[in-house]
Every structure is written in structure tokens, then in C-alpha cells.
């Protein structure tokens, strides 16, 4: 009799285009699907609160999809290198199939699982489930990792189109699970006992799971992708895909979204969207080769940057009380929905690290806790890009002016008025700079600067000047940028 195989779900919570699942089924035996919550291995990079809300919903959806095909999902909690060998022994499985994860802690985890299984005469097989191509297989002409996005993207495109996505199996012959699996509620993902239900509004916007990912992808390719090049920069409209949390949890694969975009046509808007997929790939490429990226500036000279860590300034930014309407709108959107528009993420991040001179790691930590799409590679790479300390970073002199950015990308004020309603009655001309509004306009709109809405924590011009002064203290900063 053919021994069963374990399929270990990690950051790939779907059934379609799942090479690890396909390989597990190819052996011809029964399959035991497993998810292991291993917070001990993840350490400080265990999913944040918003991500745990999403994970709970995603696991519920995956469990239902697997059960409908004949192989219920076994949930477990503990160290993967202990749990998986024990399950393999209990079921007689000779092989464990899983997707490769680029996070440093997950690489260490996979190594330990491999060693533990090998000691028992069993094997771990890792497959490409969360990226188009594995980072260690993409190199420049000298055989070295890429440090700059543009040549990386060109190399990825030159390598040819990604493979055609695999179909979801119609049926999965399930192996008898051993006793002792966890109930979803017992994993303690969300809500945390004794804590308020701060994610109460998430469900109105999001549908975790493979079906939710497919529906969102279909809506995006049918409507918004045709105007993506301009629409993606307008936070007041539905111009972006909203697929980031689905990609982060692997409810849809990058091959699926790539080919769905190609099928939608050949416009410049679609090419712009595909470049975003390649930026995600580049972020994982950087993390694979620079596992210190979540904590350390990739440019060594920036490790001496004269930050002015201030808990009060950080808290004001976190709560959407900076006095810059576009930033405050974004931070409030983040808290209410677990997501923030990408253009606004850049503006908000720039204000924190440049105008307020707060460490980028503090901003990244807040995003890690509050984003449903919190991805270690993308979060770290993007914060380093804004701070100017990444290998391919925003130029040192680029300091986003939050007023001009708001006026340019939210010209009719739709975004600010939605998330900062205390400013809703101000006319467009002063909406993004309420501290400059004439007294009569402020009275008519019911706005009292410093009372009903805060004054800016720092004047935009002053913030830019002191950011440049701080950057000028770094040896080689200009050349690095």
C-alpha cells in the first residue's frame, strides 16, 4: 500500500496552483493536510493582530474547501520540527510537502523540520508556492543577487512568462488524522480574551480565503485594471487591486494574478500592475539574501542616522493626529480596515521618518501589527525605500510634502473627508492645509485648529529642512542615494 503524504500549509492557504499539494497527490496515496501555528519559531515576527484576524478567516475557508474534497485540515500548535515528525510517524507518511517561505525564521524552521524528518528516515520537499521564481535562482551576470529593482525586473521579464497555473484538485483522498488536533478557536488567533474587538469592521471589507481572493481578482481585472496606472495613485477611489492580503497569505498565487492580468489585455496599465508583482518578488529577493533587512539598514552608513525617538510623536502618528490630513486619513483607514492605500503608505512613512525623524523600524512595527497584508519582505523593503537606507531606496533628498501630495492625489478631498470627517466641510482649496484657512472658513466648517483638529506636529518646510540636515551628517549619504 502506498504510504500517505503530509501537505504542510504555510503561506499558501489555497488549493489551486499549489505545487506542493500537487506533488503530495502525485504519489498516489492518501494526503493529510496540516497547518502548524508555530509562534515560537516566528518569535517577534509572529503575525500581528490584524494578520491573525485574517489568518483565522483564511484557515476556516481552507478547512471547509479541503473537507469538501475529502481531506479535512488538521490544525496543530507547537514547534513544527516536533509536530510534523510526530504526525508522519502516526500516519506512516514518508514525505512532507510544503511551500518555501523566504522569512529568515521560516527558513530556520524548515531546516529544523528537514533534519528532524531525516533522522527518522523521512523527507521534506519544498516547492515554489508563494513566488514566481525562487530568490536563490535569480542572479545578475556576475552570479550575484540583485540590489536594484529595475535590472531585477528586466531579468525576471527576460526569463519568460511564468508557468500556467495548476488547477485545484477535484478530490483529495484524505488520510485518517490522528487524535489531538486543535480546534480553530483554540489556536487563540482572534479575538484575544480580555481585549476589545478592535477588528470589528474588517469583515465588512474583506473576505479571507481562496474564494474571496478569486472574487477580488475577477473584479479588479474586469474593471480597475484598465485604469490602474492612474487609478492606483488616487486613494479616494477603488483604483488598486486590494489583493495584497490574499497574496500575503497565499490564497491566490502570483502566477494566477499574472496570467489573469495578461488575459485582461495588453495595455500600459496592465504592465504597470505587473511591475507591482515584480516589486513584491524583488522584496523577497532582498530578504532572502539580506535576512537582517527587517531590523538593520541595508546601507551601513544609515545605521548612524540621528533619529529623535519620541513616544509622543510616534503615538500621534499612529492615531492619525499629525495635523496633516492625508496622513491622518491613512492612519485612520489602517486602524479601521487593516489596510492603507499604497500611495498614502509612502506619504505617511515619509512624514514619520523624515519630518518627525522617528526610526523607520518603529513605523514598520506598527504596520506589522495593524496590516492584514503584513508581509515581512514587502514591509521591510518598502520602509527602507522610504527612509533611504535600502539597497534600492528613495533618493535622500526626496521628502514627500504631505500637503502637496494630498492636493495632487486627493484633489477633490474624497479620501480625507471619508476618514477625517471633522474636516469634511472645508473647501477643497484649504482641505489639505487647514491651518492656513481663513478664520471665517474655519468657523463655517466647524474647525478649530488645535482643538477639533490638531495643528501640524512640524511645519512641512521645517520638517524637510531638518530631515536634509540629519541626512547631511551621514558619511557618504549623498553617494549612497
Amino acid at each position: 500500500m502506498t504510504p500517505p503524504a503530509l501537505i504542510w500549509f504555510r503561506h499558501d492557504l489555497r488549493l489551486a496552483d499549489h505545487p506542493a499539494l500537487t506533488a503530495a497527490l502525485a504519489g498516489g496515496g492518501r494526503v493529510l493536510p496540516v497547518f502548524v501555528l508555530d509562534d515560537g519559531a516566528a518569535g517577534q515576527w509572529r503575525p500581528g493582530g490584524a494578520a491573525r484576524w485574517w489568518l483565522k478567516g483564511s484557515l476556516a475557508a481552507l478547512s471547509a474547501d479541503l473537507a469538501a474534497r475529502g481531506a479535512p485540515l488538521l490544525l496543530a500548535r507547537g514547534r513544527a520540527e516536533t509536530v510534523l515528525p510526530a504526525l508522519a510517524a502516526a500516519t506512516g507518511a514518508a514525505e512532507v510537502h510544503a511551500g518555501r517561505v523566504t522569512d529568515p525564521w521560516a527558513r530556520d524552521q524548515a531546516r529544523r523540520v528537514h533534519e528532524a524528518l531525516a533522522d527518522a528516515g523521512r523527507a521534506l520537499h519544498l516547492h515554489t508556492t508563494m513566488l514566481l521564481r525562487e530568490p536563490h535562482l535569480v542572479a545578475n551576470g556576475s552570479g550575484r543577487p540583485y540590489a536594484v529593482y529595475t535590472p531585477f525586473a528586466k531579468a525576471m521579464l527576460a526569463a519568460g512568462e511564468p508557468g500556467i497555473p495548476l488547477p485545484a484538485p477535484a478530490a483529495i483522498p484524505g488520510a485518517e488524522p490522528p487524535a489531538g488536533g486543535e480546534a480553530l478557536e483554540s489556536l487563540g488567533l482572534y479575538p484575544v480574551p480580555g481585549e476589545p474587538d478592535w477588528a470589528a469592521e474588517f469583515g465588512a471589507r474583506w473576505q479571507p480565503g481562496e474564494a474571496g481572493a478569486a472574487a477580488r481578482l475577477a473584479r479588479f481585472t474586469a474593471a480597475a485594471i484598465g485604469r490602474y496606472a492612474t487609478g492606483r495613485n488616487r486613494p479616494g477611489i477603488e483604483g488598486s487591486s486590494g489583493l495584497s492580503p490574499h497574496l500575503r497569505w497565499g490564497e491566490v498565487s502570483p502566477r494566477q494574478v499574472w496570467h489573469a492580468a495578461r488575459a485582461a489585455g495588453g495595455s500600459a496599465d496592465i504592465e504597470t500592475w505587473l511591475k507591482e508583482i515584480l516589486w513584491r518578488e524583488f522584496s523577497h529577493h532582498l530578504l532572502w539574501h539580506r535576512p537582517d533587512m527587517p531590523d538593520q539598514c541595508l546601507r551601513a552608513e544609515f545605521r548612524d542616522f540621528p533619529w529623535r525617538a519620541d513616544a509622543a510623536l510616534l503615538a500621534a502618528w499612529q492615531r492619525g493626529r499629525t495635523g496633516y490630513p492625508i496622513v491622518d486619513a491613512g492612519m485612520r483607514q489602517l486602524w479601521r480596515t487593516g489596510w492603507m492605500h499604497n500611495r498614502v503608505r509612502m506619504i505617511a512613512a515619509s512624514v514619520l521618518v523624515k519630518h518627525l525623524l522617528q526610526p523607520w523600524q518603529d513605523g514598520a512595527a506598527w504596520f506589522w501589527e495593524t496590516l492584514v497584508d503584513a508581509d515581512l519582505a514587502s514591509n521591510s523593503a518598502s520602509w527602507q525605500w522610504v527612509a533611504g537606507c535600502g539597497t534600492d531606496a528613495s533618493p535622500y533628498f526626496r521628502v514627500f510634502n504631505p500637503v502637496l501630495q494630498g492636493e495632487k492625489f486627493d484633489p477633490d478631498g474624497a479620501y480625507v473627508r471619508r476618514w477625517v470627517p471633522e474636516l469634511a466641510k472645508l473647501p477643497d482649496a484649504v482641505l489639505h492645509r487647514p491651518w492656513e484657512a481663513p478664520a471665517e472658513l474655519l468657523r463655517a466648517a466647524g474647525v478649530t485648529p488645535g482643538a477639533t483638529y490638531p495643528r501640524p506636529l512640524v511645519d512641512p518646510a521645517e520638517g524637510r529642512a531638518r530631515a536634509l540636515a540629519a541626512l547631511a551628517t551621514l558619511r557618504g549619504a549623498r553617494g549612497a542615494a
Side-chain angles (χ1 to χ4, degrees):
M1 179 181 294
T2 303
L6 268 58
I7 167 67
W8 174 26
F9 286 93
R10 302 177 80 194
H11 294 184
D12 40 29
L13 306 180
R14 65 180 185 276
L15 302 184
D17 197 33
H18 202 303
L21 176 59
T22 300
L25 290 168
R30 294 187 173 275
V31 173
L32 178 63
V34 182
F35 176 85
V36 183
L37 183 66
D38 189 350
D39 283 338
Q44 72 180 104
W45 303 119
R46 66 192 289 270
R52 291 173 86 84
W53 175 90
W54 190 286
L55 177 58
K56 181 180 180 181
S58 189
L59 288 174
L62 177 65
S63 183
D65 291 344
L66 283 165
R69 287 166 170 80
L73 178 66
L74 179 69
L75 298 173
R77 188 212 305 253
R79 301 308 292 254
E81 65 267 27
T82 300
V83 172
L84 292 169
L87 288 174
T91 59
E95 298 181 335
V96 177
H97 292 270
R100 186 177 285 105
V101 178
T102 60
D103 295 14
W105 69 265
R107 294 169 65 181
D108 289 340
Q109 178 193 55
R111 175 186 51 78
R112 292 191 300 270
V113 170
H114 167 77
E115 292 171 352
L117 288 169
D119 288 344
R122 295 180 168 87
L124 172 65
H125 302 286
L126 296 179
H127 305 264
T128 301
T129 61
M130 61 177 291
L131 296 173
L132 296 175
R133 293 182 176 89
E134 295 295 346
H136 60 281
L137 300 179
V138 183
N140 62 22
S142 302
R144 298 178 59 81
Y146 284 95
V148 178
Y149 167 75
T150 299
F152 171 85
K154 289 180 178 178
M156 289 286 290
L157 292 170
E161 290 289 287
I164 300 300
L166 301 165
I172 302 174
E176 184 67 26
E182 298 267 357
L184 180 58
E185 291 296 332
S186 71
L187 291 181
L189 291 170
Y190 184 86
V192 177
E195 292 189 5
D197 187 7
W198 57 271
E201 297 182 45
F202 286 12
R205 176 180 174 86
W206 303 110
Q207 181 190 347
E210 190 169 8
R216 189 168 286 274
L217 177 59
R219 290 197 301 271
F220 175 61
T221 53
I225 198 170
R227 51 185 173 84
Y228 179 76
T230 55
R232 67 178 180 145
N233 284 315
R234 295 288 301 276
I237 65 173
E238 289 292 331
S240 61
S241 73
L243 284 166
S244 55
H246 297 289
L247 281 164
R248 184 266 180 265
W249 291 106
E251 298 166 349
V252 65
S253 76
R255 292 200 303 195
Q256 287 175 295
V257 299
W258 187 281
H259 285 286
R262 286 291 191 216
S267 70
D269 294 272
I270 290 169
E271 296 302 321
T272 300
W273 159 243
L274 294 181
K275 289 177 181 177
E276 294 298 319
I277 298 300
L278 293 180
W279 171 259
R280 175 179 180 270
E281 294 276 319
F282 179 60
S283 298
H284 283 272
H285 181 84
L286 289 176
L287 181 61
W288 182 271
H289 294 288
R290 293 294 303 270
D292 59 342
M293 185 171 72
D295 298 304
Q296 298 295 324
C297 298
L298 296 185
R299 293 189 184 276
E301 62 271 21
F302 277 82
R303 296 177 187 178
D304 295 323
F305 189 87
W307 301 110
R308 302 183 187 179
D310 184 313
L313 289 179
L314 178 63
W317 177 82
Q318 291 171 336
R319 296 168 185 166
R321 301 287 294 172
T322 67
Y324 297 127
I326 191 71
V327 173
D328 294 340
M331 300 308 294
R332 297 182 194 187
Q333 179 189 33
L334 172 62
W335 183 253
R336 295 270 298 276
T337 71
W339 184 87
M340 190 196 304
H341 188 276
N342 188 59
R343 167 58 61 174
V344 186
R345 293 189 199 198
M346 290 190 287
I347 302 168
S350 180
V351 164
L352 183 72
V353 300
K354 293 185 174 175
H355 284 77
L356 303 182
L357 294 177
Q358 300 305 294
W360 64 267
Q361 294 94 334
D362 289 347
W366 184 249
F367 276 19
W368 184 257
E369 180 62 26
T370 55
L371 283 170
V372 292
D373 63 12
D375 172 88
L376 193 58
S378 296
N379 194 43
S380 306
S382 296
W383 273 94
Q384 294 225 31
W385 182 88
V386 172
C389 57
T391 60
D392 184 4
S394 170
Y396 79 96
F397 52 80
R398 178 177 290 169
V399 181
F400 287 121
N401 183 312
V403 176
L404 299 181
Q405 290 282 307
E407 291 173 342
K408 180 177 181 179
F409 296 113
D410 187 34
D412 59 1
Y415 184 68
V416 165
R417 289 190 173 93
R418 178 178 180 183
W419 297 109
V420 191
E422 61 266 41
L423 300 179
K425 294 181 180 179
L426 283 176
D428 294 349
V430 294
L431 180 63
H432 292 283
R433 53 179 83 218
W435 62 92
E436 295 181 2
E440 60 271 19
L441 285 182
L442 292 171
R443 283 195 299 271
V447 177
T448 303
T452 61
Y453 184 72
R455 297 182 184 278
L457 294 172
V458 61
D459 177 79
E462 179 187 348
R464 172 181 169 79
R466 69 181 192 175
L468 293 178
L471 285 162
T473 67
L474 300 182
R475 183 178 179 182
R478 287 177 179 266

